[in-house]
Amino acid sequence: MAYLTGYQYYENGGSGQEDANWGSYQYTTLEDIVNNFMLMYVGNDKLVNNVERYNVIFHAKRAIQELNYDAMKETKIVELTVCDNLRIVLPSDFVNWVRISLYKDGTLFPLTENIQTNYAKSYLQDNDCRVLFDEDGDILTGTSFLDGDRLDGLSKTPYLGSGRMKGNLGYNIDGKWVFDYSVGTRFGLNTETANVNPTFKIDKKSGVVNFDSQMADQTVVIEYVSDGMESGSDVSVSVNKMFEEYIYAYIKYAILSSKFNVQDYVIRRAQKAKSALLRNARIRISNIHPGRLLMNLRSQNKWLK
Amino acid sequence: MINSVRQSVLAIANKHQQGYITPADFNLYAKQAQLDIFEDYFYRYNQWIVRQNQRASGSGYADILKNLEEVIDNFSEEKDLENVGNKYTLPSDYYLINKLIVKTNLLASGTTTSTTAVTLVKTGATFVTDGVVVGDQVCVIDDSVLYVANITVITEDTIITDSTHQWNSNSSNLVFAIYKSNKFKESERLSHTKATMLNASNITAPNITFPAYTQSGNTVDVFPVTLTNVGQIKTQYIRKPKDPNWTYQIVAGDPLYNIGDPSHQDLEIPLTDEPLIISKILKYVGISIREADVYKSAQDSEIKEQQKQG
């Protein structure tokens, strides 16, 4: 990508979306990566030759995807309102979640993932418990009791308010807590799930997040990672410059290791270069610098009460 | 060069009155010999790459590869291609398609309402608003012939181009497209084996950023299939050498070299290959006049010349 003038950077040259170029200097585009690789690493006198550009595109994209999953720390953030159906559809480029929070009274409350399930598909059955089908042979389904109870606020969750019932499992119905008799109930709090904040469970196949009944009409903020493919728009795909050299090394290794008649030591050398560059890039992107260390060290003498 | 080659060939072949070569025969032999040498450049180029990778080639004046590249580049041409949909017709004289360029930034397109030899008008157009500026390129198709011109003057509905073209100056229905002259991408050649799978792939399917093409005979299919605008594809290719034509006029019963004849065509290979082409032509002459000595001598000479060149 060509270098920008100050006017192009700050004002987008006076036309189009003003913020289009803000922060763009941190990134290098997929197109640049592919062009540079074809220019500098592919040739008659290079280790990599006779390779089609689509091979390079494929490996470059795979490298960017892998980096997006963990190394790059570039999370996307979306804010949505949960309606009465207590669920939201996952963002279109969602790959995995980082944190899901309730936004209330100006504060983000991180939600805990419900380690049990809070949703199910219900197969319709007759009186003999035989599964029912339609005329096409497909199974008839309906709303499960699990979903129904959740929607009605009838799933048990730990009560973490004050008073005698603190820690007991109860039902939150329209903001009021109702408890079973305490006879024969489990003693003590399950600390693993003990959290006053609402819970959620992601139904990956259905592409939705299911929340408990406390989340009705609440605002949820989802932090998630994507694969960096920008919904298929190759022109928008970019990667932080800290990872540029790693991507070249990754492509080189991927091509050499899948090519016939390349000596093993050449492949190993490429592999080592790739791994070393990934480590370097991770350290760089972690931003471990004196200023930040100083911040951590300042808290070392803080008294814990 | 062609005359000196002919004189040399005649001098050698006819030394002992063994045979005279007519201009028509000479042109045929010269064409064949030139093509032979031309094809050989590519094989030699490859051989020198292998040598270079074995570190058996020098740089500077000893850079034979560079020398061969220069020779091949003498045959390099650029041409905007005519199309029907995403199928573009290749030039008839191409030997090797080196690259296919896609003009990616389409600024405006449509049909003219009136034209002159240098002007295109489309009533109601908004060329300036669309971002068209002086120096951009306009492609016009008229009677299945593609014309490409640079814009020198622009208003909202009128374009004036840099030179007089042969498009129909009174036509009101010429299809045109205007492109940003410095925005283009290189299209990649695909084998037919891979093309279907590649197009179906989510991650590598050709798009406007990374376009691709397949070739069938004299046409190329460009992907994505939306690349269908007039003059959107340009090629840089290596053409075949033009057929040599030693032209003459009869003076006193003998053919006398006439360089001024419109059909005259000199040999296109470099002067340094003159000994080689003479040997090759003599070889054909030796076969033609059934003179084993001429053939043998020409073949020996050709082998020596080739060994010298590597």
Side-chain angles (χ1 to χ4, degrees):
Chain A
M1 202 166 110
Y3 290 105
L4 302 173
T5 63
Y7 185 49
Q8 285 170 326
Y9 178 77
Y10 286 106
E11 311 254 329
N12 197 14
S15 62
Q17 202 181 326
E18 188 190 28
D19 61 357
N21 296 320
W22 294 356
S24 61
Y25 199 71
Q26 301 166 79
Y27 299 95
T28 187
T29 62
L30 172 70
E31 196 184 347
D32 274 346
I33 288 170
V34 172
N35 278 348
N36 291 343
F37 190 87
M38 293 300 287
L39 261 177
M40 301 301 166
Y41 293 89
V42 180
N44 290 321
D45 56 346
K46 306 279 189 344
L47 270 180
V48 180
N49 69 342
N50 293 343
V51 63
E52 287 87 0
R53 187 178 65 186
Y54 62 78
N55 273 305
V56 175
I57 296 170
F58 173 77
H59 292 305
K61 284 188 171 180
R62 285 292 303 118
I64 293 172
Q65 284 178 326
E66 289 297 328
L67 288 174
N68 269 276
Y69 298 150
D70 53 8
M72 278 216 279
K73 303 183 173 188
E74 293 203 6
T75 52
K76 293 191 168 189
I77 305 171
V78 167
E79 183 189 289
L80 293 162
T81 299
V82 182
C83 288
D84 290 342
N85 58 9
L86 295 178
R87 73 176 193 191
I88 55 161
V89 179
L90 293 170
S92 58
D93 54 351
F94 175 92
V95 173
N96 204 0
W97 65 281
V98 176
R99 186 164 46 197
I100 299 179
S101 310
L102 160 68
Y103 184 66
K104 196 174 180 183
D105 304 328
T107 309
L108 278 172
F109 298 93
L111 306 187
T112 46
E113 187 181 15
N114 191 338
I115 57 171
Q116 295 173 335
T117 187
N118 66 0
Y119 64 88
K121 187 184 277 185
S122 172
Y123 287 174
L124 299 187
Q125 294 166 288
D126 65 11
N127 288 337
D128 298 325
C129 295
R130 290 160 64 91
V131 175
L132 299 174
F133 304 91
D134 64 13
E135 64 272 23
D136 298 323
D138 294 328
I139 297 169
L140 294 171
T141 59
T143 305
S144 66
F145 288 119
L146 203 59
D147 277 316
D149 286 353
R150 180 169 58 84
L151 291 169
D152 295 339
L154 292 177
S155 293
K156 281 184 185 175
T157 50
Y159 172 66
L160 295 176
S162 57
R164 189 172 59 86
M165 299 308 290
K166 182 178 179 182
N168 286 7
L169 291 172
Y171 303 93
N172 183 301
I173 303 171
D174 299 330
K176 291 183 178 176
W177 282 86
V178 180
F179 301 93
D180 287 332
Y181 287 114
S182 300
V183 178
T185 54
R186 182 178 51 79
F187 176 76
L189 181 68
N190 181 4
T191 49
E192 189 182 349
T193 54
N195 193 312
V196 74
N197 294 336
T199 62
F200 70 93
K201 182 87 177 174
I202 297 179
D203 183 354
K204 290 182 180 172
K205 274 285 177 193
S206 304
V208 296
V209 187
N210 290 307
F211 296 94
D212 73 24
S213 57
Q214 299 175 69
M215 283 298 289
D217 300 323
Q218 301 292 335
T219 302
V220 67
V221 174
I222 302 181
E223 294 163 73
Y224 67 99
V225 287
S226 183
D227 63 353
M229 291 296 105
E230 304 297 337
S231 307
S233 168
D234 279 359
V235 75
S236 312
V237 176
S238 61
V239 66
N240 194 294
K241 282 177 179 167
M242 304 278 188
F243 290 99
E244 188 176 349
E245 197 59 34
Y246 162 73
I247 292 182
Y248 296 139
Y250 178 95
I251 301 169
K252 194 163 83 173
Y253 165 71
I255 291 172
L256 287 173
S257 64
S258 58
K259 234 179 186 322
F260 178 69
N261 223 2
V262 179
Q263 296 94 328
D264 205 39
Y265 73 88
V266 173
I267 298 170
R268 274 204 304 276
R269 198 167 65 198
Q271 189 181 25
K272 281 180 183 172
K274 172 188 76 106
S275 305
L277 284 165
L278 180 59
R279 275 196 297 275
N280 281 354
R282 274 185 163 152
I283 291 168
R284 283 176 177 172
I285 211 82
S286 298
N287 262 349
I288 303 171
H289 53 76
R292 189 164 284 193
L293 282 174
L294 199 61
M295 277 170 64
N296 299 131
L297 291 170
R298 275 186 188 131
S299 65
Q300 68 180 336
N301 293 326
K302 188 179 174 186
W303 285 24
L304 295 173
K305 291 180 182 176
Chain B
M1 182 179 171
I2 193 168
N3 193 41
S4 96
V5 169
R6 178 168 162 80
Q7 297 311 322
S8 302
V9 168
L10 283 178
I12 297 166
N14 208 21
K15 192 174 181 185
H16 304 293
Q17 304 300 313
Q18 286 166 317
Y20 172 76
I21 304 142
T22 64
D25 281 352
F26 173 79
N27 286 338
L28 277 177
Y29 301 150
K31 177 188 171 185
Q32 201 60 42
Q34 182 170 245
L35 274 176
D36 213 2
I37 294 169
F38 175 75
E39 283 222 318
D40 207 37
Y41 289 141
F42 297 90
Y43 291 104
R44 277 166 58 199
Y45 184 73
N46 190 46
Q47 284 165 5
W48 276 102
I49 284 171
V50 174
R51 286 186 198 178
Q52 193 182 54
N53 289 338
Q54 292 165 342
R55 303 186 71 82
S57 146
S59 57
Y61 293 125
D63 195 342
I64 309 294
L65 208 57
K66 186 178 155 212
N67 190 296
L68 278 167
E69 270 176 13
E70 280 175 9
V71 172
I72 293 171
D73 283 346
N74 275 332
F75 297 90
S76 171
E77 299 272 347
E78 284 191 359
K79 190 173 189 289
D80 294 86
L81 303 181
E82 288 143 17
N83 69 305
V84 177
N86 71 325
K87 291 181 188 296
Y88 290 78
T89 308
L90 292 171
S92 55
D93 62 343
Y94 91 91
Y95 174 78
L96 182 149
I97 300 295
N98 195 35
K99 59 183 174 186
L100 220 64
I101 302 293
V102 179
K103 297 168 199 167
T104 50
N105 199 346
L106 177 72
L107 297 168
S109 62
T111 309
T112 58
T113 45
S114 65
T115 58
T116 69
V118 292
T119 309
L120 299 169
V121 178
K122 185 190 176 194
T123 309
T126 53
F127 294 136
V128 177
T129 312
D130 293 340
V132 181
V133 293
V134 169
D136 287 337
Q137 194 179 69
V138 60
C139 297
V140 182
I141 194 97
D142 181 20
D143 202 17
S144 302
V145 180
L146 179 67
Y147 301 93
V148 180
N150 292 320
I151 296 170
T152 53
V153 178
I154 178 92
T155 65
E156 280 291 11
D157 63 357
T158 306
I159 289 166
I160 301 177
T161 60
D162 57 350
S163 58
T164 306
H165 300 281
Q166 301 302 311
W167 63 57
N168 188 343
S169 59
N170 295 315
S171 175
S172 60
N173 283 312
L174 299 185
V175 177
F176 71 94
I178 303 169
Y179 304 97
K180 188 58 75 189
S181 53
N182 59 354
K183 297 279 183 188
F184 43 80
K185 308 273 186 237
E186 190 171 331
S187 183
E188 182 185 27
R189 189 181 197 282
L190 300 177
S191 74
H192 286 281
T193 323
K194 300 277 186 186
T196 316
M197 286 182 283
L198 201 77
N199 273 307
S201 162
N202 217 13
I203 200 167
T204 55
N207 52 41
I208 193 75
T209 315
F210 299 113
Y213 71 94
T214 55
Q215 188 183 345
S216 306
N218 218 31
T219 58
V220 287
D221 288 32
V222 183
F223 303 105
V225 292
T226 48
L227 296 173
T228 55
N229 293 293
V230 176
Q232 193 156 18
I233 305 289
K234 187 165 91 171
T235 181
Q236 182 263 318
Y237 67 102
I238 304 298
R239 65 168 171 79
K240 291 176 217 158
K242 291 172 187 159
D243 292 351
N245 192 10
W246 186 85
T247 47
Y248 60 95
Q249 42 189 182
I250 302 294
V251 175
D254 286 329
L256 189 69
Y257 183 49
N258 178 17
I259 196 170
D261 192 296
S263 63
H264 174 269
Q265 178 58 54
D266 203 352
L267 292 159
E268 294 191 289
I269 55 172
L271 201 61
T272 46
D273 279 328
E274 189 171 327
L276 189 61
I277 198 166
I278 291 170
S279 305
K280 280 188 182 291
I281 294 172
L282 277 169
K283 213 168 75 175
Y284 295 126
V285 171
I287 296 168
S288 170
I289 62 176
R290 297 183 185 185
E291 193 55 62
D293 286 348
V294 176
Y295 178 81
K296 181 80 174 49
S297 157
Q299 195 178 31
D300 289 348
S301 166
E302 185 189 335
I303 290 168
K304 275 182 200 161
E305 194 62 34
Q306 281 173 335
Q307 281 172 345
K308 199 166 68 186
Q309 293 183 350

